[in-house]
Amino acid sequence: MCRMIAYLSETEIPLSSLVLGPEHSLLVQSYAPKEMMSGVVNADGFGAGWYAPELDDEPAVYRSNAPIWADRSFASIAPKVRSATIFAAVRSATPGLPAEESGVPPFASGPYLFAHNGAIKSFRTTAMRPLRNSLSDASYSDLLGVTDSETIFALLLDRLREAKARPGDAGALAEAINETVHQVSEVCSRLGVYAALNVGATDGEAFVFTRYSTEGPGNSLYFVESGEAFPDAVVIASERLDRDDGWRPVPDRHLLVASIEGVTTHPL
């Protein structure tokens, strides 16, 4: 399992004010999560991605397989890097999958960032081969590791290529994620394998998240619009960052689309 957090606004903020600063920040969620359904801590790496559109459309990414609390370099950098679009996560590696940087979110390709909070049970001996066999040559050749998360991102990238999606087309991103989650769910259901599929992706201009699992409720996911700590912004997080009454849970088996115009949710 992992914990994820996303920020979208027209106002830039330091990475630290999102990832390190809040009362229940991603840093705190790495060692004291409140709502994880599997695992105890998120100590198997962390990452942060952000956009600098004045330079190009592709995000910058900082990833490490060390716990976030042990990375002094990030603690030094984070207050000095500002962005209006930020996506970060801490990782608890799924049993049976290696704790190495290739499996640390967020994953990046072109203008896209992606993270997955969940797991496909016994992935390497069940769903790995049928899912990876369905990948295009381009997506398959770009794989670096053996995680379920990276595989789901590769499937999503194939959908986006087929749709000829471009940054700014939130509808195309939402449709591609919807189709990807259902594809993974169908394969896992056919194999009788449990899959928790809270995923999130951004093209730098919009975020799309799902709260979904093949059995039972999905992992926790919340959002707040123009919160006390983040005015004129949308923040999405696995766990609420503070005691603001504006936080709302994403309904189970729903897809969330966040843009500068606001947030909408749709059944999956």
Coordinates of all heavy atoms in Angstrom, one line a residue, residues 155-253:
L155 N -0.3 0.2 -18.9 CA -1.6 -0.1 -19.6 C -2.3 1.3 -19.9 O -2.9 1.5 -20.9 CB -2.4 -1.0 -18.7 CG -2.0 -2.4 -18.5 CD1 -2.7 -3.1 -17.4 CD2 -2.2 -3.2 -19.8
L156 N -2.2 2.2 -18.9 CA -2.8 3.5 -19.0 C -2.1 4.3 -20.2 O -2.8 4.9 -21.0 CB -2.7 4.3 -17.7 CG -3.1 5.7 -17.8 CD1 -4.6 5.9 -18.1 CD2 -2.8 6.4 -16.4
L157 N -0.8 4.2 -20.3 CA -0.2 4.9 -21.4 C -0.6 4.4 -22.7 O -0.7 5.2 -23.7 CB 1.4 4.8 -21.2 CG 1.9 5.6 -20.0 CD1 3.4 5.2 -19.8 CD2 1.8 7.1 -20.1
D158 N -0.8 3.1 -22.8 CA -1.3 2.6 -24.1 C -2.6 3.1 -24.4 O -2.9 3.5 -25.6 CB -1.4 1.0 -24.0 CG 0.0 0.4 -24.4 OD1 0.9 1.0 -24.9 OD2 0.1 -0.8 -24.1
R159 N -3.5 3.2 -23.5 CA -4.8 3.8 -23.7 C -4.7 5.3 -24.1 O -5.5 5.7 -25.0 CB -5.7 3.7 -22.4 CG -6.0 2.3 -21.9 CD -7.1 1.7 -22.6 NE -7.5 0.4 -22.0 CZ -8.5 -0.3 -22.5 NH1 -9.2 0.0 -23.5 NH2 -8.7 -1.5 -21.9
L160 N -3.9 6.0 -23.5 CA -3.7 7.4 -23.8 C -3.1 7.6 -25.3 O -3.5 8.5 -26.0 CB -2.8 8.1 -22.8 CG -3.4 8.2 -21.4 CD1 -2.3 8.6 -20.4 CD2 -4.5 9.3 -21.4
R161 N -2.2 6.7 -25.6 CA -1.7 6.8 -27.0 C -2.8 6.5 -28.0 O -2.9 7.1 -29.1 CB -0.5 5.8 -27.2 CG 0.7 6.2 -26.4 CD 1.9 5.3 -26.8 NE 3.0 5.4 -25.9 CZ 3.3 4.6 -24.9 NH1 2.5 3.5 -24.7 NH2 4.3 4.8 -24.1
E162 N -3.6 5.4 -27.7 CA -4.7 5.1 -28.7 C -5.6 6.2 -28.8 O -6.2 6.4 -29.9 CB -5.4 3.8 -28.1 CG -4.5 2.5 -28.2 CD -5.2 1.4 -27.4 OE1 -6.3 1.6 -26.9 OE2 -4.6 0.3 -27.3
A163 N -5.9 6.9 -27.8 CA -6.9 8.0 -27.8 C -6.2 9.3 -28.3 O -6.9 10.3 -28.5 CB -7.4 8.3 -26.4
K164 N -4.9 9.3 -28.6 CA -4.2 10.5 -29.0 C -4.4 11.7 -28.0 O -4.6 12.8 -28.4 CB -4.5 10.9 -30.4 CG -4.1 9.8 -31.4 CD -4.4 10.2 -32.9 CE -4.0 9.1 -33.8 NZ -4.4 9.4 -35.2
A165 N -4.4 11.3 -26.7 CA -4.7 12.3 -25.7 C -3.6 13.4 -25.6 O -2.4 13.1 -25.9 CB -4.9 11.7 -24.4
R166 N -4.0 14.6 -25.2 CA -3.0 15.7 -25.1 C -3.2 16.3 -23.7 O -4.3 16.3 -23.2 CB -3.2 16.7 -26.2 CG -2.9 16.2 -27.6 CD -1.4 16.0 -27.8 NE -1.0 15.6 -29.1 CZ -0.9 14.4 -29.5 NH1 -1.1 13.4 -28.6 NH2 -0.6 14.1 -30.7
P167 N -2.2 16.9 -23.1 CA -2.3 17.6 -21.9 C -3.4 18.6 -22.0 O -3.6 19.3 -22.9 CB -1.0 18.2 -21.6 CG 0.0 17.3 -22.4 CD -0.7 16.9 -23.6
G168 N -4.3 18.7 -20.9 CA -5.4 19.6 -20.9 C -6.7 18.9 -21.2 O -7.8 19.5 -21.0
D169 N -6.7 17.7 -21.8 CA -7.9 17.0 -22.1 C -8.2 16.0 -20.9 O -7.9 14.8 -20.9 CB -7.7 16.1 -23.4 CG -9.0 15.6 -23.9 OD1 -10.0 15.5 -23.1 OD2 -9.0 15.1 -25.1
A170 N -8.9 16.6 -19.9 CA -9.2 15.8 -18.7 C -10.2 14.7 -19.0 O -10.1 13.6 -18.4 CB -9.8 16.8 -17.7
G171 N -11.1 14.9 -20.0 CA -12.0 13.9 -20.4 C -11.3 12.6 -20.9 O -11.7 11.5 -20.6
A172 N -10.3 12.8 -21.7 CA -9.5 11.7 -22.3 C -8.8 11.0 -21.2 O -8.7 9.7 -21.2 CB -8.6 12.2 -23.4
L173 N -8.2 11.7 -20.3 CA -7.4 11.1 -19.2 C -8.4 10.3 -18.3 O -8.1 9.2 -17.9 CB -6.7 12.2 -18.4 CG -5.9 11.7 -17.2 CD1 -4.8 10.7 -17.6 CD2 -5.3 12.9 -16.4
A174 N -9.5 10.9 -18.0 CA -10.5 10.1 -17.2 C -11.0 8.9 -17.9 O -11.1 7.8 -17.2 CB -11.7 11.1 -16.9
E175 N -11.3 8.9 -19.2 CA -11.8 7.8 -19.9 C -10.7 6.7 -19.9 O -11.0 5.5 -19.8 CB -12.2 8.1 -21.3 CG -12.8 7.0 -22.1 CD -14.0 6.4 -21.5 OE1 -14.7 7.1 -20.8 OE2 -14.3 5.2 -21.9
A176 N -9.4 7.1 -20.1 CA -8.3 6.1 -20.2 C -8.2 5.4 -18.8 O -7.9 4.2 -18.8 CB -7.1 6.8 -20.6
I177 N -8.3 6.2 -17.8 CA -8.1 5.6 -16.4 C -9.3 4.6 -16.1 O -9.1 3.5 -15.6 CB -8.0 6.7 -15.4 CG1 -6.6 7.3 -15.5 CG2 -8.2 6.1 -14.0 CD1 -6.3 8.3 -14.4
N178 N -10.5 5.1 -16.5 CA -11.7 4.2 -16.3 C -11.5 2.9 -17.0 O -11.7 1.8 -16.4 CB -12.9 5.0 -16.9 CG -14.2 4.3 -16.5 OD1 -14.3 3.1 -16.2 ND2 -15.3 5.0 -16.7
E179 N -11.1 2.9 -18.3 CA -10.9 1.7 -19.1 C -9.8 0.8 -18.5 O -9.9 -0.4 -18.5 CB -10.6 2.1 -20.5 CG -11.8 2.7 -21.2 CD -11.4 3.2 -22.6 OE1 -10.2 3.1 -23.0 OE2 -12.3 3.6 -23.4
T180 N -8.7 1.5 -18.0 CA -7.6 0.7 -17.5 C -8.0 0.0 -16.2 O -7.6 -1.2 -16.0 CB -6.4 1.7 -17.2 OG1 -6.0 2.3 -18.4 CG2 -5.2 0.9 -16.6
V181 N -8.6 0.7 -15.3 CA -9.1 0.0 -14.1 C -10.0 -1.1 -14.3 O -9.9 -2.2 -13.7 CB -9.7 1.1 -13.1 CG1 -10.4 0.4 -12.0 CG2 -8.6 2.0 -12.6
H182 N -10.9 -0.9 -15.3 CA -11.8 -2.0 -15.6 C -11.1 -3.2 -16.2 O -11.4 -4.4 -16.0 CB -13.0 -1.5 -16.4 CG -14.1 -0.9 -15.7 ND1 -14.2 0.5 -15.6 CD2 -15.0 -1.4 -14.9 CE1 -15.3 0.8 -14.8 NE2 -15.8 -0.3 -14.4
Q183 N -10.1 -2.9 -17.1 CA -9.3 -4.0 -17.7 C -8.6 -4.8 -16.6 O -8.7 -6.1 -16.6 CB -8.3 -3.4 -18.7 CG -7.4 -4.5 -19.3 CD -6.3 -3.9 -20.1 OE1 -6.2 -2.7 -20.3 NE2 -5.5 -4.7 -20.7
V184 N -7.9 -4.1 -15.7 CA -7.2 -4.8 -14.6 C -8.2 -5.6 -13.7 O -7.9 -6.7 -13.4 CB -6.4 -3.8 -13.8 CG1 -5.7 -4.5 -12.6 CG2 -5.3 -3.1 -14.7
S185 N -9.3 -5.0 -13.4 CA -10.3 -5.6 -12.6 C -10.8 -6.9 -13.2 O -11.0 -7.9 -12.6 CB -11.5 -4.7 -12.3 OG -12.5 -5.3 -11.5
E186 N -11.1 -6.8 -14.5 CA -11.6 -8.0 -15.2 C -10.6 -9.2 -15.2 O -11.0 -10.3 -15.0 CB -12.0 -7.6 -16.6 CG -13.3 -6.7 -16.7 CD -13.5 -6.1 -18.1 OE1 -12.7 -6.5 -19.0 OE2 -14.4 -5.3 -18.2
V187 N -9.4 -8.8 -15.5 CA -8.3 -9.9 -15.5 C -8.2 -10.5 -14.1 O -8.2 -11.7 -14.0 CB -7.0 -9.3 -16.0 CG1 -5.9 -10.3 -15.7 CG2 -7.0 -8.9 -17.4
C188 N -8.2 -9.7 -13.1 CA -8.0 -10.2 -11.7 C -9.2 -11.0 -11.3 O -9.1 -12.0 -10.6 CB -7.8 -9.0 -10.7 SG -6.2 -8.2 -11.0
S189 N -10.4 -10.5 -11.6 CA -11.7 -11.3 -11.3 C -11.7 -12.6 -12.0 O -12.1 -13.7 -11.4 CB -12.9 -10.5 -11.7 OG -13.0 -9.3 -10.9
R190 N -11.2 -12.7 -13.2 CA -11.2 -14.0 -13.9 C -10.2 -14.9 -13.3 O -10.4 -16.2 -13.3 CB -10.8 -13.7 -15.4 CG -10.9 -14.9 -16.3 CD -10.8 -14.5 -17.8 NE -9.5 -13.9 -18.1 CZ -9.3 -12.7 -18.5 NH1 -10.3 -11.9 -18.5 NH2 -8.1 -12.2 -18.8
L191 N -9.2 -14.4 -12.7 CA -8.1 -15.2 -12.1 C -8.5 -15.5 -10.6 O -7.8 -16.3 -9.9 CB -6.8 -14.5 -12.1 CG -6.2 -14.4 -13.5 CD1 -5.0 -13.5 -13.4 CD2 -5.8 -15.7 -14.1
G192 N -9.5 -14.9 -10.1 CA -9.9 -15.0 -8.7 C -8.9 -14.3 -7.8 O -8.7 -14.8 -6.6
V193 N -8.3 -13.2 -8.2 CA -7.3 -12.5 -7.5 C -7.8 -11.1 -7.0 O -8.4 -10.4 -7.8 CB -6.1 -12.3 -8.4 CG1 -5.0 -11.4 -7.6 CG2 -5.5 -13.6 -8.8
Y194 N -7.6 -10.9 -5.7 CA -8.1 -9.6 -5.2 C -7.2 -8.4 -5.7 O -5.9 -8.6 -5.7 CB -8.0 -9.6 -3.6 CG -8.2 -8.3 -3.0 CD1 -9.5 -7.7 -2.9 CD2 -7.1 -7.6 -2.5 CE1 -9.6 -6.5 -2.3 CE2 -7.3 -6.3 -1.8 CZ -8.6 -5.8 -1.7 OH -8.7 -4.6 -1.2
A195 N -7.8 -7.3 -6.0 CA -7.0 -6.1 -6.4 C -7.6 -4.9 -5.8 O -8.8 -4.6 -5.9 CB -7.0 -6.0 -8.0
A196 N -6.7 -4.1 -5.2 CA -7.1 -2.8 -4.7 C -6.5 -1.8 -5.7 O -5.3 -1.8 -5.9 CB -6.5 -2.6 -3.3
L197 N -7.4 -0.9 -6.2 CA -7.0 -0.1 -7.4 C -7.3 1.4 -7.2 O -8.0 2.0 -8.0 CB -7.7 -0.7 -8.6 CG -7.3 -2.1 -9.0 CD1 -8.2 -2.6 -10.1 CD2 -5.9 -2.2 -9.4
N198 N -6.8 1.9 -6.1 CA -6.9 3.4 -6.0 C -5.7 3.9 -6.8 O -4.5 3.7 -6.5 CB -6.7 3.9 -4.6 CG -8.0 3.8 -3.8 OD1 -8.9 3.1 -4.1 ND2 -8.0 4.7 -2.8
V199 N -6.0 4.5 -8.0 CA -4.9 5.1 -8.8 C -5.1 6.5 -9.0 O -6.2 7.1 -8.9 CB -4.8 4.3 -10.2 CG1 -4.6 2.8 -10.0 CG2 -6.0 4.6 -11.0
G200 N -4.0 7.2 -9.3 CA -4.1 8.7 -9.7 C -3.2 9.0 -10.7 O -2.1 8.4 -10.8
A201 N -3.6 10.0 -11.6 CA -2.7 10.4 -12.7 C -2.9 11.9 -13.0 O -4.0 12.4 -12.7 CB -2.9 9.6 -13.9
T202 N -1.9 12.6 -13.5 CA -2.1 13.9 -13.9 C -1.3 14.2 -15.2 O -0.3 13.5 -15.4 CB -1.6 14.9 -12.8 OG1 -1.8 16.3 -13.3 CG2 -0.2 14.7 -12.4
D203 N -1.8 15.1 -16.0 CA -1.0 15.6 -17.1 C -0.5 17.0 -16.9 O 0.0 17.7 -17.8 CB -1.9 15.6 -18.4 CG -3.2 16.5 -18.2 OD1 -3.3 17.2 -17.1 OD2 -4.1 16.5 -19.0
G204 N -0.5 17.5 -15.6 CA 0.0 18.8 -15.3 C -1.1 19.8 -15.2 O -1.0 20.9 -14.6
E205 N -2.3 19.5 -15.8 CA -3.4 20.4 -15.9 C -4.7 19.9 -15.2 O -5.6 20.7 -14.9 CB -3.7 20.8 -17.3 CG -2.6 21.5 -18.0 CD -2.9 22.0 -19.4 OE1 -4.1 22.4 -19.6 OE2 -2.0 21.9 -20.3
A206 N -4.7 18.6 -15.0 CA -5.9 18.0 -14.3 C -5.4 16.7 -13.6 O -4.4 16.2 -14.0 CB -7.0 17.7 -15.3
F207 N -6.1 16.3 -12.6 CA -5.9 15.1 -11.9 C -7.1 14.2 -12.0 O -8.2 14.7 -12.0 CB -5.6 15.3 -10.4 CG -4.2 15.7 -10.0 CD1 -3.9 17.0 -9.9 CD2 -3.3 14.7 -9.8 CE1 -2.6 17.4 -9.5 CE2 -2.0 15.1 -9.4 CZ -1.6 16.4 -9.3
V208 N -6.9 12.9 -12.2 CA -7.9 11.9 -12.1 C -7.5 10.8 -11.2 O -6.4 10.3 -11.2 CB -8.2 11.3 -13.5 CG1 -9.3 10.2 -13.5 CG2 -8.6 12.4 -14.5
F209 N -8.4 10.5 -10.2 CA -8.2 9.4 -9.3 C -9.4 8.5 -9.3 O -10.5 8.8 -9.6 CB -8.1 10.0 -7.8 CG -6.8 10.7 -7.5 CD1 -6.5 12.0 -7.9 CD2 -5.9 10.0 -6.8 CE1 -5.3 12.6 -7.6 CE2 -4.7 10.6 -6.5 CZ -4.4 11.9 -6.9
T210 N -9.1 7.2 -8.8 CA -10.2 6.3 -8.6 C -10.1 5.7 -7.2 O -9.0 5.7 -6.6 CB -10.0 5.0 -9.6 OG1 -8.8 4.3 -9.3 CG2 -10.1 5.5 -11.0
R211 N -11.2 5.4 -6.6 CA -11.3 4.7 -5.4 C -12.0 3.4 -5.7 O -13.2 3.4 -6.0 CB -12.0 5.4 -4.3 CG -12.1 4.7 -3.0 CD -12.8 5.4 -1.9 NE -12.8 4.6 -0.7 CZ -13.7 4.7 0.3 NH1 -14.7 5.6 0.2 NH2 -13.6 3.9 1.4
Y212 N -11.3 2.3 -5.7 CA -11.9 1.0 -6.3 C -11.2 -0.2 -5.8 O -9.9 -0.2 -5.6 CB -11.8 1.1 -7.8 CG -12.5 -0.1 -8.5 CD1 -13.8 0.0 -8.9 CD2 -11.8 -1.3 -8.8 CE1 -14.4 -1.0 -9.6 CE2 -12.4 -2.3 -9.5 CZ -13.7 -2.2 -9.9 OH -14.4 -3.2 -10.5
S213 N -11.9 -1.3 -5.5 CA -11.3 -2.6 -5.3 C -12.2 -3.6 -5.8 O -13.4 -3.4 -6.0 CB -11.0 -2.8 -3.8 OG -12.3 -3.0 -3.1
T214 N -11.7 -4.8 -6.1 CA -12.5 -5.9 -6.7 C -13.4 -6.5 -5.6 O -14.4 -7.1 -6.0 CB -11.7 -7.0 -7.3 OG1 -10.7 -7.5 -6.4 CG2 -10.9 -6.4 -8.5
E215 N -13.1 -6.4 -4.4 CA -13.9 -6.9 -3.3 C -13.8 -6.0 -2.1 O -12.8 -5.5 -1.7 CB -13.3 -8.3 -2.8 CG -13.2 -9.4 -3.8 CD -12.5 -10.6 -3.3 OE1 -12.4 -10.7 -2.1 OE2 -12.1 -11.4 -4.1
G216 N -15.0 -5.7 -1.6 CA -15.1 -4.8 -0.4 C -14.8 -3.4 -0.7 O -14.6 -3.0 -1.9
P217 N -14.7 -2.5 0.3 CA -14.5 -1.1 0.1 C -13.1 -0.8 -0.4 O -12.1 -1.5 0.0 CB -14.8 -0.4 1.4 CG -14.5 -1.5 2.4 CD -14.9 -2.8 1.7
G218 N -12.9 0.3 -1.2 CA -11.6 0.7 -1.6 C -10.8 1.4 -0.5 O -11.4 1.7 0.6
N219 N -9.5 1.6 -0.7 CA -8.7 2.3 0.3 C -9.3 3.8 0.4 O -9.9 4.3 -0.5 CB -7.3 2.3 -0.1 CG -6.6 1.0 0.0 OD1 -6.6 0.4 1.0 ND2 -6.1 0.5 -1.1
S220 N -9.0 4.4 1.5 CA -9.5 5.7 1.8 C -8.9 6.7 0.8 O -7.8 6.6 0.3 CB -9.1 6.2 3.2 OG -7.6 6.2 3.3
L221 N -9.8 7.7 0.4 CA -9.4 8.8 -0.5 C -10.3 10.0 -0.2 O -11.5 9.9 -0.1 CB -9.5 8.4 -1.9 CG -9.0 9.3 -3.0 CD1 -7.5 9.5 -2.9 CD2 -9.4 8.8 -4.4
Y222 N -9.7 11.2 -0.1 CA -10.4 12.4 0.3 C -10.0 13.5 -0.6 O -8.9 13.5 -1.3 CB -10.1 12.8 1.7 CG -10.5 11.8 2.8 CD1 -9.6 10.8 3.2 CD2 -11.7 11.9 3.4 CE1 -9.9 9.9 4.1 CE2 -12.1 11.0 4.4 CZ -11.2 10.0 4.8 OH -11.5 9.1 5.7
F223 N -10.8 14.6 -0.7 CA -10.5 15.8 -1.4 C -11.0 17.0 -0.6 O -12.0 16.9 0.1 CB -10.9 15.8 -2.8 CG -12.4 15.9 -3.0 CD1 -13.0 17.1 -3.2 CD2 -13.3 14.8 -2.9 CE1 -14.4 17.3 -3.4 CE2 -14.6 14.9 -3.1 CZ -15.2 16.1 -3.3
V224 N -10.4 18.2 -0.8 CA -10.9 19.4 -0.3 C -10.7 20.5 -1.3 O -9.6 20.5 -2.0 CB -10.1 19.8 1.0 CG1 -8.6 20.0 0.8 CG2 -10.8 21.0 1.7
E225 N -11.7 21.4 -1.5 CA -11.6 22.5 -2.4 C -11.5 23.8 -1.6 O -12.3 24.0 -0.7 CB -12.8 22.5 -3.3 CG -13.0 21.3 -4.2 CD -14.2 21.4 -5.0 OE1 -14.2 22.1 -6.1 OE2 -15.3 20.8 -4.7
S226 N -10.5 24.6 -1.9 CA -10.3 25.9 -1.2 C -10.3 25.7 0.3 O -11.1 26.4 1.0 CB -11.3 26.9 -1.7 OG -11.1 27.2 -3.0
G227 N -9.5 24.8 0.8 CA -9.4 24.5 2.2 C -8.7 25.7 3.0 O -8.1 26.6 2.4
E228 N -8.8 25.6 4.3 CA -8.2 26.7 5.1 C -6.7 26.8 4.8 O -6.2 27.9 4.8 CB -8.5 26.3 6.6 CG -10.0 26.4 6.9 CD -10.2 25.9 8.4 OE1 -9.2 25.7 9.1 OE2 -11.4 25.8 8.8
A229 N -6.0 25.7 4.7 CA -4.6 25.7 4.5 C -4.2 25.9 3.1 O -3.1 26.2 2.8 CB -4.0 24.4 5.1
F230 N -5.1 25.6 2.1 CA -4.8 25.6 0.7 C -5.9 26.3 -0.1 O -6.7 25.7 -0.8 CB -4.7 24.2 0.2 CG -3.6 23.4 0.9 CD1 -4.0 22.5 1.8 CD2 -2.3 23.6 0.6 CE1 -3.0 21.7 2.5 CE2 -1.3 22.8 1.3 CZ -1.7 21.9 2.2
P231 N -6.1 27.7 0.1 CA -7.1 28.4 -0.5 C -6.9 28.4 -2.1 O -5.8 28.4 -2.5 CB -7.0 29.8 0.0 CG -5.5 29.9 0.5 CD -5.2 28.5 1.0
D232 N -8.0 28.5 -2.8 CA -8.0 28.5 -4.3 C -7.2 27.3 -4.8 O -6.5 27.4 -5.9 CB -7.4 29.8 -4.7 CG -8.1 31.0 -4.2 OD1 -9.3 31.0 -4.3 OD2 -7.5 32.0 -3.8
A233 N -7.4 26.2 -4.2 CA -6.7 24.9 -4.7 C -7.6 23.7 -4.4 O -8.5 23.8 -3.6 CB -5.3 24.8 -4.0
V234 N -7.3 22.7 -5.2 CA -7.9 21.4 -4.9 C -6.8 20.5 -4.4 O -5.7 20.4 -5.0 CB -8.5 20.7 -6.2 CG1 -9.0 19.3 -5.9 CG2 -9.6 21.6 -6.8
V235 N -7.0 19.8 -3.3 CA -6.0 18.9 -2.7 C -6.7 17.5 -2.6 O -7.9 17.4 -2.1 CB -5.5 19.3 -1.3 CG1 -4.5 18.3 -0.8 CG2 -4.8 20.7 -1.5
I236 N -6.1 16.5 -3.1 CA -6.6 15.1 -3.0 C -5.6 14.3 -2.2 O -4.4 14.4 -2.4 CB -6.8 14.5 -4.4 CG1 -7.7 15.3 -5.2 CG2 -7.4 13.1 -4.2 CD1 -7.0 16.1 -6.3
A237 N -6.0 13.5 -1.2 CA -5.1 12.8 -0.4 C -5.7 11.5 0.1 O -6.9 11.4 0.3 CB -4.7 13.6 0.8
S238 N -4.8 10.5 0.3 CA -5.3 9.2 0.9 C -5.8 9.4 2.3 O -6.8 8.7 2.7 CB -4.1 8.2 0.9 OG -3.6 7.9 -0.3
E239 N -5.3 10.3 3.0 CA -5.7 10.6 4.4 C -5.8 12.2 4.5 O -5.0 12.9 4.0 CB -4.8 10.0 5.5 CG -4.8 8.5 5.4 CD -4.0 7.9 6.5 OE1 -3.7 8.7 7.5 OE2 -3.7 6.7 6.5
R240 N -6.8 12.7 5.3 CA -6.9 14.1 5.5 C -5.7 14.7 6.1 O -5.1 14.1 7.0 CB -8.2 14.4 6.3 CG -9.5 14.1 5.6 CD -10.6 14.0 6.6 NE -10.6 12.8 7.3 CZ -11.6 12.3 8.0 NH1 -12.8 12.9 8.0 NH2 -11.5 11.1 8.7
L241 N -5.2 15.8 5.6 CA -4.0 16.4 6.1 C -4.2 17.2 7.3 O -3.2 17.5 8.0 CB -3.4 17.3 5.0 CG -3.1 16.7 3.6 CD1 -2.5 17.7 2.7 CD2 -2.3 15.5 3.8
D242 N -5.4 17.6 7.6 CA -5.6 18.5 8.8 C -7.1 18.3 9.3 O -7.8 17.4 8.8 CB -5.3 19.9 8.5 CG -6.0 20.4 7.3 OD1 -7.2 20.0 7.0 OD2 -5.4 21.3 6.5
R243 N -7.5 19.1 10.2 CA -8.8 19.0 10.8 C -9.9 19.9 10.1 O -11.0 20.1 10.6 CB -8.8 19.3 12.3 CG -7.8 18.5 13.0 CD -7.7 18.8 14.5 NE -6.5 18.2 15.1 CZ -6.2 18.3 16.4 NH1 -7.1 18.9 17.2 NH2 -5.1 17.7 16.9
D244 N -9.6 20.4 8.9 CA -10.5 21.2 8.1 C -11.8 20.4 7.9 O -11.7 19.3 7.4 CB -9.8 21.6 6.8 CG -10.6 22.6 6.0 OD1 -11.8 22.7 6.2 OD2 -10.0 23.3 5.2
D245 N -12.9 21.0 8.2 CA -14.2 20.4 8.0 C -14.6 20.2 6.5 O -15.6 19.5 6.2 CB -15.3 21.1 8.7 CG -15.2 21.1 10.2 OD1 -14.6 20.1 10.7 OD2 -15.8 22.0 10.9
G246 N -13.8 20.8 5.6 CA -14.1 20.8 4.2 C -13.7 19.5 3.5 O -14.1 19.3 2.4
W247 N -12.9 18.7 4.2 CA -12.5 17.4 3.6 C -13.7 16.5 3.3 O -14.5 16.3 4.2 CB -11.5 16.7 4.4 CG -10.1 17.3 4.5 CD1 -9.6 18.1 5.4 CD2 -9.1 17.1 3.5 NE1 -8.3 18.4 5.1 CE2 -8.0 17.8 3.9 CE3 -9.0 16.3 2.3 CZ2 -6.8 17.8 3.2 CZ3 -7.8 16.4 1.6 CH2 -6.7 17.1 2.0
R248 N -13.8 15.9 2.1 CA -14.9 15.0 1.8 C -14.3 13.7 1.3 O -13.4 13.7 0.5 CB -15.8 15.6 0.8 CG -16.6 16.8 1.3 CD -17.6 17.3 0.3 NE -17.0 18.1 -0.7 CZ -17.6 18.5 -1.8 NH1 -18.8 18.1 -2.1 NH2 -17.0 19.3 -2.7
P249 N -14.9 12.6 1.7 CA -14.5 11.3 1.1 C -14.9 11.1 -0.3 O -16.0 11.5 -0.7 CB -15.1 10.2 2.0 CG -16.4 10.9 2.5 CD -16.0 12.4 2.6
V250 N -14.1 10.5 -1.1 CA -14.5 10.1 -2.5 C -15.3 8.8 -2.3 O -14.9 7.9 -1.6 CB -13.3 9.8 -3.4 CG1 -13.7 9.3 -4.7 CG2 -12.4 11.0 -3.5
P251 N -16.5 8.8 -2.9 CA -17.4 7.6 -2.7 C -16.7 6.3 -3.3 O -15.9 6.4 -4.2 CB -18.6 7.9 -3.6 CG -18.6 9.4 -3.6 CD -17.2 9.8 -3.7
D252 N -17.0 5.2 -2.7 CA -16.4 4.0 -3.1 C -16.8 3.7 -4.6 O -17.9 4.0 -5.0 CB -16.8 2.8 -2.2 CG -15.9 1.6 -2.4 OD1 -14.7 1.7 -2.7 OD2 -16.5 0.5 -2.2
R253 N -15.9 3.0 -5.3 CA -16.1 2.7 -6.7 C -16.5 3.9 -7.5 O -17.4 3.9 -8.4 CB -17.1 1.6 -6.9 CG -16.6 0.3 -6.3 CD -17.3 -0.9 -6.9 NE -16.5 -2.2 -6.5 CZ -16.7 -3.3 -7.1 NH1 -17.6 -3.5 -8.1 NH2 -16.0 -4.4 -6.8

